Amino acid sequence: MMKKWQRTLAALLACTMLALAMTACGSPASSEASEPASTGGSSSEAQTEPVDNTFVQNEDGSFISGGIKFPLEEPVTYTFWTTPDASTMDLTGGDMYNNTFWAEFTRRTNVHFEFITPAVGTEREQYNLVITSGELPDVMSDPSYFQDGLDAAVEDEYFMDLTDLIPVYMPDYVAAVEASGQGKELVTDSGVTAALGMVFKKPQAPIAGFMIRKDWLDEQGLPVPETYDEMEAALRVFRDEYGCESPMVFTKLMYRNLGPGMGYYAGAQNAMYQVDGTVYDTYLENPDGAKEYLSLLNRWYEEGLIDQNFMSNTNIFPEASVLNTETAGCMVQMYSTVGTALMPLQEAGGELAGVPALVKNKGDEVHYNPGAVPSHVNRGVTISADCENVEILLAAFNYLYTKPGDMLHNYGIEGEQYTLDENGNYIWSEEMLKNIAEGLRKHTLPPSWAPSWVDADRQNVAMPEVALAMQETWTSDNSYMMPSVTLTAEEAGEYADISADLNTFLEENELQFITGAKSIEDEWDSFLATYESMGAARCVELYQAALDRYNAR
């Protein structure tokens, strides 16, 4: 185990690379000359005995959260490593204090942050460099990047054990997690709480899926596809009657999403899924279903029914505006684009509809939804084991789970971004309604940037009815999806050794089968044999052990 003195040694090896690789976003001018205030509350001294931690909002704007009065008399500054949202960074000019929420949160608390953001596309690499350096920022997002699991991270003194601190300094957070009914997502297999969560007020509906030109379907007397055969018929019509160059458009990251109806399940854990607590691998359990799905995509590719260049598009989603032309008739995309990038299509008389999970035969059930949000509780951030004044940090974050903090980080500032009606319901300002997605990024807390209590429906008031209907269409059973299990350090190391090569082999061969670079008929058996020989069954065993522990939490 790498203890603190070992991490110091590792820092000598990593500090140079780290300094070149990371950029700190500017903190507010008021904190430039301020050092973190010493309040006698270092990480080793934080009180764990019960205190009067009832939230109190005072008339002068001050408040008491977690037993601590805010705003603080003296500023306290924390470093915060967080992964960038490209759109948010563009809108704020790379300075998170140009975001209304962060500026107002700091004004209300006198808690300041020096943001450290890696370049887009380098997040995991830079996270590992930070960990290797041993000089951890006070707050870090994306705890899933810690390969050995959070139990090991706490044991090796990277991250702080928050188990006894959270009930004292974050009572409103505790109430939100309990109300979610999914608190076990936030504890490790050993019962340790090592991360603060992003909690959704209710389960989030899918925000992306396949959408299709319903107006064209209506003109041709075709239904919104429910089966693979109906989809193929629609794509042929788009190609032959409307001259679509790419009747269906998706990216390299999304080619697997249509597979569950054929028993093809592949996602973050190679091709693994679970049924009633038992872990399976698609290629070991149902190779015929995988072959059938890849053969279907191969036929669609050869007939020009899907984008011929999807392999080179490494974005999450294709360019939405393609649907505004006659280039494509079906696309995987976010529902929010219906009210933004796809408005020209609808203003010209076009009509869109969501496509449900495709099946082989009408009435078949699908139990795996790649577009679903597996849980409405996610681990948001970890706190460094060396963080000082941790009780202030936790109490400040607790504010986000109180009524005024909730209103601030979900909706912005009353009178500017929203007003309240006579029933206490929020009404967006005209500025926000012009572009709700952009407004949320400029004025509220972008989810995943900090512990938060997210109203997933907050932008829906500005969404067209067709967009909300798409979310309903995309909602389906997801009981086969693997939950947020945790591998032990030993399991994680072994899995990483196997899965790195296995993932590469799997993706390369699947893409070659789809494009015809490899014959699926002639080379399928040798592909399966190699896949099995690379340790796929051992990956199943490792995840079965992790799932057993998860279910026992």
Side-chain angles (χ1 to χ4, degrees), residues 458-476:
R458 59 185 176 163
Q459 66 185 33
N460 287 352
V461 295
M463 285 291 125
E465 286 298 322
V466 64
L468 303 182
M470 285 180 181
Q471 283 194 298
E472 186 173 345
T473 298
W474 295 334
T475 299
S476 62

Side-chain angles (χ1 to χ4, degrees), residues 503-522:
N503 270 329
T504 300
F505 173 80
L506 183 60
E507 181 179 282
E508 287 179 351
N509 279 269
E510 286 182 334
L511 293 174
Q512 288 173 333
F513 285 141
I514 292 170
T515 61
K518 277 189 174 182
S519 168
I520 198 166
E521 292 301 328
D522 296 339

Side-chain angles (χ1 to χ4, degrees), residues 114-154:
E114 294 178 357
F115 291 99
I116 304 167
T117 60
V120 176
T122 69
E123 295 89 349
R124 185 180 293 274
E125 174 190 354
Q126 299 307 318
Y127 185 97
N128 290 332
L129 278 174
V130 172
I131 295 299
T132 304
S133 76
E135 298 298 322
L136 272 62
D138 296 310
V139 187
M140 293 187 73
S141 64
D142 298 281
S144 62
Y145 287 165
F146 195 91
Q147 183 172 289
D148 292 344
L150 292 182
D151 274 324
V154 170

Side-chain angles (χ1 to χ4, degrees), residues 346-539:
Q346 297 162 91
E347 291 169 349
E351 187 177 354
L352 295 166
V355 177
L358 297 179
V359 292
K360 293 171 65 175
N361 304 295
K362 289 196 175 186
D364 289 352
E365 295 182 351
V366 176
H367 304 286
Y368 188 97
N369 185 350
V373 179
S375 168
H376 59 291
V377 173
N378 299 302
R379 293 171 179 170
V381 299
T382 51
I383 310 298
S384 167
D386 298 326
C387 177
E388 296 185 352
N389 303 313
V390 67
E391 71 281 7
I392 293 175
L393 178 64
L394 296 179
F397 280 152
N398 179 72
Y399 178 67
L400 303 179
Y401 299 85
T402 68
K403 182 63 175 178
D406 164 26
M407 298 302 290
L408 172 62
H409 86 271
N410 274 307
Y411 315 114
I413 298 176
E414 185 177 359
E416 297 183 16
Q417 283 74 51
Y418 72 94
T419 56
L420 295 176
D421 64 17
E422 63 275 10
N423 297 316
N425 300 314
Y426 68 92
I427 301 173
W428 289 120
S429 68
E430 291 185 9
E431 179 198 357
M432 292 292 287
L433 290 175
K434 288 179 182 177
N435 189 327
I436 190 67
E438 182 176 295
L440 290 175
R441 285 180 165 87
K442 287 174 64 176
H443 301 296
T444 71
L445 173 62
S448 80
W449 280 74
S452 49
W453 194 24
V454 182
D455 177 4
D457 294 336
R458 59 185 176 163
Q459 66 185 33
N460 287 352
V461 295
M463 285 291 125
E465 286 298 322
V466 64
L468 303 182
M470 285 180 181
Q471 283 194 298
E472 186 173 345
T473 298
W474 295 334
T475 299
S476 62
D477 178 38
N478 196 33
S479 57
Y480 285 9
M481 183 72 75
M482 191 80 70
S484 301
V485 301
T486 303
L487 299 175
T488 66
E490 292 77 12
E491 289 169 344
E494 184 178 0
Y495 177 75
D497 290 340
I498 299 173
S499 65
D501 292 336
L502 195 62
N503 270 329
T504 300
F505 173 80
L506 183 60
E507 181 179 282
E508 287 179 351
N509 279 269
E510 286 182 334
L511 293 174
Q512 288 173 333
F513 285 141
I514 292 170
T515 61
K518 277 189 174 182
S519 168
I520 198 166
E521 292 301 328
D522 296 339
E523 301 185 63
W524 183 255
D525 290 341
S526 61
F527 157 73
L528 281 182
T530 302
Y531 181 80
E532 293 176 15
S533 72
M534 295 178 70
R538 179 56 181 159
C539 289

Side-chain angles (χ1 to χ4, degrees), residues 292-358:
E292 184 179 19
Y293 177 61
L294 296 177
S295 297
L296 174 77
L297 292 185
N298 170 247
R299 183 170 74 248
W300 288 0
Y301 184 85
E302 291 185 341
E303 293 187 16
L305 300 181
I306 59 178
D307 182 10
Q308 301 294 287
N309 299 308
F310 80 91
M311 309 83 66
S312 60
N313 190 341
T314 57
N315 295 318
I316 299 176
F317 299 106
E319 177 60 46
S321 60
V322 170
L323 271 182
N324 291 329
T325 69
E326 294 190 351
T327 301
C330 183
M331 173 185 288
V332 62
Q333 192 51 256
M334 296 183 68
Y335 83 117
S336 58
T337 59
V338 174
T340 53
L342 295 175
M343 283 303 296
L345 167 65
Q346 297 162 91
E347 291 169 349
E351 187 177 354
L352 295 166
V355 177
L358 297 179

